[in-house]
């Protein structure tokens, strides 16, 4: 029997991570978020701290313009940039965990990497900006100005990473099976809706 994989894309501050955790718990699926970096480190031999520093981040063209070219290293008998090295390690690990069992994977282009998976459900979680700001302020104990800045930076970083490594656009509804605005729902209700959708789509 083919394994079922659920990918969760999310805007920063939209409760996406918490919803993904609850979903995995309800389904008794393996949950991968930061856990994926640890596994990628074990599989690739790259340091977890290195993968964390490059996690869902894409160096800007301005950064590259300061150098004669992208910083490259020899890895697996080929020259590769640090960004490509981090992405490839996660890419390979995502493919591997998809073969090991049912799981929920948060972010990291998993919806694109696993697009040929037969039992794949791609979900994107969003929320109104005011609600995201309030959530980040409370969660991270920061000011409204700091929360607004952090949201803008994180969304920009995730979008750049996704758009660079795929031929799709981050947050484009056409790339997902289900898009939900959590400003309209509680986390628990959101999980219920996703579960109902999964059962109807795959059963």
């Amino acid at each position: 029997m083919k394994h079922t994989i659920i990918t969760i894309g999310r805007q920063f501050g939209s409760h996406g991570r918490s919803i993904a955790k609850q979903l995995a718990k309800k389904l008794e699926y393996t949950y991968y978020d930061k856990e994926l970096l640890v596994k990628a480190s074990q599989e690739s031999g790259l340091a977890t701290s290195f993968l964390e520093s490059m996690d869902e981040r894409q160096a800007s063209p301005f950064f590259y313009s300061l150098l004669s070219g992208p910083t490259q290293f020899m890895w697996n008998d080929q020259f590769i940039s640090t960004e490509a090295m981090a992405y490839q390690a996660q890419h390979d690990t995502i493919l591997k965990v998809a073969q090991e069992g049912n799981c929920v994977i948060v972010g990291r282009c998993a919806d694109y990497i696993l697009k040929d998976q037969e039992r794949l459900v791609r979900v994107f979680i969003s929320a109104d900006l005011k609600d995201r700001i309030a959530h980040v302020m409370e969660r991270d104990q920061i000011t409204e100005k700091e929360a607004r800045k952090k949201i803008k930076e994180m969304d920009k970083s995730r979008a750049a990473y996704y758009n660079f490594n795929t031929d799709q656009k981050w947050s484009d509804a056409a790339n997902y099976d289900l898009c939900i605005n959590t400003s309209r729902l509680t986390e628990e209700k959101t999980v219920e809706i996703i579960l109902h959708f999964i059962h109807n789509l795959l059963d």
Side-chain angles (χ1 to χ4, degrees):
M1 181 179 177
K2 296 287 185 180
H3 301 130
T4 298
I5 312 298
I6 303 163
T7 62
I8 306 289
R10 73 287 184 223
Q11 290 182 321
F12 188 74
S14 65
H15 297 262
R17 178 177 297 170
S18 178
I19 288 166
K21 280 185 177 180
Q22 293 181 50
L23 189 64
K25 185 176 181 180
K26 287 271 188 182
L27 290 167
E28 298 184 343
Y29 285 8
T30 306
Y31 171 79
Y32 291 106
D33 185 6
K34 296 295 184 182
E35 295 82 356
L36 189 72
L37 303 181
V38 175
K39 196 168 182 66
S41 174
Q42 295 168 344
E43 296 289 338
S44 66
L46 299 172
T48 303
S49 58
F50 166 71
L51 293 175
E52 288 176 343
S53 72
M54 305 296 293
D55 191 26
E56 290 190 291
R57 292 180 175 86
Q58 184 61 38
S60 68
F62 175 73
F63 171 80
Y64 283 144
S65 72
L66 299 178
L67 307 170
S68 58
T71 304
Q72 296 194 333
F73 298 91
M74 177 66 78
W75 189 57
N76 288 348
D77 298 323
Q78 62 179 329
F79 283 103
I80 187 171
S81 70
T82 53
E83 291 78 19
M85 191 187 304
Y87 174 76
Q88 191 62 50
Q90 293 185 57
H91 174 281
D92 294 347
T93 301
I94 287 169
L95 290 174
K96 183 177 177 62
V97 300
Q99 297 303 313
E100 292 177 344
N102 301 323
C103 60
V104 175
I105 305 175
V106 177
R108 299 169 184 86
C109 303
D111 59 285
Y112 178 82
I113 293 168
L114 299 172
K115 63 186 179 192
D116 295 325
Q117 179 86 15
E118 288 183 22
R119 295 179 61 84
L120 173 68
V121 182
R122 304 162 300 168
V123 179
F124 191 84
I125 305 294
S126 65
D128 295 349
L129 181 58
K130 63 180 177 60
D131 295 321
R132 295 163 63 198
I133 291 171
H135 176 55
V136 173
M137 285 175 64
E138 180 181 0
R139 185 191 65 192
D140 298 348
Q141 293 297 292
I142 57 179
T143 66
E144 179 180 346
K145 183 178 180 180
E146 290 170 330
R148 189 181 293 272
K149 180 181 178 182
K150 191 171 185 179
I151 288 168
K152 183 177 180 180
E153 289 176 348
M154 290 299 294
D155 278 357
K156 184 177 180 180
S157 178
R158 288 174 181 175
Y161 178 84
Y162 186 95
N163 296 347
F164 183 85
N165 289 300
T166 77
D167 58 5
Q168 300 177 165
K169 185 177 179 181
W170 183 75
S171 80
D172 186 341
N175 300 327
Y176 308 96
D177 303 304
L178 179 65
C179 297
I180 300 182
N181 185 326
T182 56
S183 290
R184 310 294 189 266
L185 303 159
T186 64
E187 287 187 9
E188 292 74 16
K189 192 64 178 178
T190 301
V191 171
E192 286 181 22
I193 290 172
I194 296 173
L195 286 170
H196 182 74
F197 181 82
I198 291 168
H199 292 320
N200 278 276
L201 183 67
L202 300 179
D203 288 352

